[in-house]
Amino acid sequence: MKIAAALCAISLRAAAAHRPASAAFVTSISASSSAARAFWSSSASAAFVTSVSASSASSSLMMSTKQKEALLSCPTVPLRDGTPHPAIGFGTYKVGFIPASASAAVAGTETGVERTAEECVRDALEVGYRFLECAEFYGNESEVGKAIKASGVKREDLFLCSKVWTTTIEKGEDAIRAQLEKTLADLGTDYLDLYLIHWPVPGKHVEAYKTLEKLQQQEGKIRNIGVSNYAVEDYKELIDEGITSKPVVNQIEINPFLYRKNTIDFFESEGVVLQSYRSLRDGKAMDHPILARIGKAHSKSPAQVLGRWCVQKGFIYMPKSVKIARMVENAEVFDFELSEEEMTELDALTTPDAFETFRDLYRKCVNRDTSKDGSYEGVKMEVTID
């Protein structure tokens, strides 16, 4: 526990250097940062995988207590009500299942699944991940539930987040209630720590959000509610329409190649925590020379540099992989700090073209899979893109 606390201390100082003090990580400090560095210098380079069982389809993973504890005791970020949200989680999109309308599936470039979601999530839990990022759209929540059950991890030790998809949002309150029940049954739980509106479906998302408010306030099946892929203008629409509980989270794409600082600053000023998806940019930037150079300076991989940038900014980092070694690698972001100069250099990687690409994707996706799919009907054509 002293080691884990030392690691949290490192993250606290990093957060203070790059974020307002009000968004500092919630943690307790009972050891010096030198203790943490001593621990990691002696053992972080050692492989987490020490024993692989050929008889197990998911490859059984053996880890030392200290190695696993470093992830189990990761820093947390406080939500508006004080709930500690783990600073790192395991994303389950395209894990064991590829949605039919996923961009790669539509383009015909998706190569298929390598392993089942149950296998991958079971490994992620064994590695030490306790925040699982799920969604109706991902099509694998029942497999995630099987993995949770098989893992033996107690419900109170998990942080479960799910999102309701556009088709259900369009159908209205009864469909949303039915989907929540299905998600709870699939995951094998009687409550969610966090439930999000997946996209701000035009003309529908406000009422959908108000339904989530009812489910949270009246039935206790949702601990906290939030949104995903919301532009500043979508959030303001919620406020203008008289919601009573502000979103605690907005889940958006954030990485150095799509760093929308004005949008991020706005949501943080509203007390909304940012969850970062595509934190690792789907592996498409791992050969970038700046990432390679910074990684070399810290004896870290490009993926770990991206992950460290994310947590050092105070965002919730949600990497995903179907490979155990990558799950472990992706989590090793709490034992080093990027300098102010390195952070600034990474911040500058976003180009004007990236903002334009985001705008086009937003316009396309808010009606995705609904009866208005393929049209701009009701879509906000001008939103804050930077």
Side-chain angles (χ1 to χ4, degrees):
M1 292 305 296
K2 289 183 179 180
I3 293 169
L7 299 182
C8 292
I10 295 173
S11 291
L12 265 172
R13 289 198 305 279
H18 297 284
R19 285 178 48 80
S22 61
F25 292 130
V26 173
T27 184
S28 60
I29 305 173
S30 61
S32 67
S33 60
S34 60
R37 291 193 179 95
F39 164 69
W40 282 103
S41 64
S42 65
S43 63
S45 60
F48 273 57
V49 181
T50 60
S51 176
V52 178
S53 172
S55 63
S56 172
S58 63
S59 300
S60 178
L61 180 65
M62 299 298 290
M63 304 168 62
S64 75
T65 301
K66 290 181 179 180
Q67 289 168 328
K68 189 169 183 177
E69 184 66 22
L71 183 51
L72 289 173
S73 301
C74 74
T76 60
V77 176
L79 300 180
R80 183 177 286 106
D81 67 345
T83 296
H85 188 314
I88 183 173
F90 184 73
T92 61
Y93 181 43
K94 293 184 180 179
V95 174
F97 179 80
I98 310 298
S101 67
S103 56
V106 172
T109 58
E110 189 59 63
T111 57
V113 299
E114 298 180 45
R115 305 172 63 208
T116 68
E118 180 181 357
E119 292 169 340
C120 297
V121 174
R122 190 166 65 238
D123 286 343
L125 291 169
E126 190 171 0
V127 166
Y129 289 89
R130 290 297 179 263
F131 162 37
L132 299 179
E133 188 268 329
C134 311
E136 172 190 353
F137 177 63
Y138 299 173
N140 57 10
E141 289 188 325
S142 63
E143 291 288 301
V144 174
K146 292 176 184 177
I148 292 172
K149 183 177 181 179
S151 73
V153 176
K154 295 179 181 179
R155 175 62 183 91
E156 58 265 29
D157 294 331
L158 294 172
F159 190 97
L160 299 181
C161 171
S162 186
K163 304 192 290 287
V164 60
W165 186 237
T166 58
T167 50
T168 303
I169 292 169
E170 184 180 37
K171 291 174 183 176
E173 181 170 341
D174 289 345
I176 293 170
R177 288 177 175 275
Q179 177 56 46
L180 173 61
E181 293 300 327
K182 184 178 188 305
T183 287
L184 293 173
D186 285 347
L187 294 177
T189 183
D190 56 2
Y191 72 94
L192 293 176
D193 296 280
L194 189 58
Y195 202 34
L196 312 181
I197 301 294
H198 205 140
W199 282 94
V201 179
K204 300 292 183 178
H205 75 97
V206 173
E207 289 307 312
Y209 188 85
K210 290 181 177 180
T211 296
L212 298 198
E213 287 184 316
K214 294 177 186 177
L215 290 167
Q216 178 191 22
Q217 297 167 1
Q218 300 173 8
E219 301 181 26
K221 296 179 179 180
I222 307 169
R223 298 290 172 86
N224 271 295
I225 57 177
V227 296
S228 178
N229 296 301
Y230 270 51
V232 169
E233 292 73 14
D234 298 314
Y235 177 87
K236 288 181 176 179
E237 184 182 2
L238 284 181
I239 302 302
D240 291 343
E241 291 294 329
I243 62 168
T244 58
S245 297
K246 290 183 178 181
V248 299
V249 156
N250 186 14
Q251 183 184 121
I252 60 175
E253 178 179 349
I254 310 177
N255 55 63
F257 300 91
L258 186 61
Y259 181 41
R260 299 164 55 213
K261 190 175 188 305
N262 286 332
T263 293
I264 289 166
D265 287 349
F266 170 81
F267 281 105
E268 290 184 335
S269 73
E270 289 287 310
V272 177
V273 170
L274 281 305
Q275 289 182 338
S276 163
Y277 71 78
R278 295 194 78 214
S279 308
L280 303 182
R281 208 163 176 257
D282 294 343
K284 295 175 181 176
M286 298 308 168
D287 59 351
H288 195 283
I290 291 178
L291 295 180
R293 172 168 49 79
I294 294 175
K296 184 177 181 181
H298 295 276
S299 299
K300 290 291 184 176
S301 69
Q304 290 166 332
V305 171
L306 288 173
R308 180 63 208 180
W309 177 89
C310 187
V311 299
Q312 199 158 312
K313 287 285 187 182
F315 310 136
I316 305 298
Y317 168 48
M318 304 186 301
K320 68 181 180 70
S321 179
V322 299
K323 302 180 186 298
I324 294 177
R326 292 287 174 83
M327 294 177 194
V328 173
E329 176 190 342
N330 292 341
E332 293 186 271
V333 296
F334 299 108
D335 60 329
F336 73 108
E337 296 179 36
L338 298 174
S339 70
E340 183 175 350
E341 293 75 16
E342 289 168 335
M343 292 291 286
T344 299
E345 189 173 15
L346 291 170
D347 291 352
L349 290 176
T350 301
T351 65
D353 285 347
F355 293 135
E356 296 300 320
T357 298
F358 160 76
R359 183 186 62 190
D360 293 343
L361 184 65
Y362 169 87
R363 291 174 176 176
K364 173 185 176 182
C365 286
V366 290
N367 276 330
R368 182 176 173 182
D369 287 348
T370 70
S371 62
K372 299 179 179 63
D373 194 356
S375 80
Y376 289 147
E377 184 176 342
V379 176
K380 297 179 180 71
M381 297 304 288
E382 296 300 328
V383 297
T384 304
I385 62 174
D386 64 350

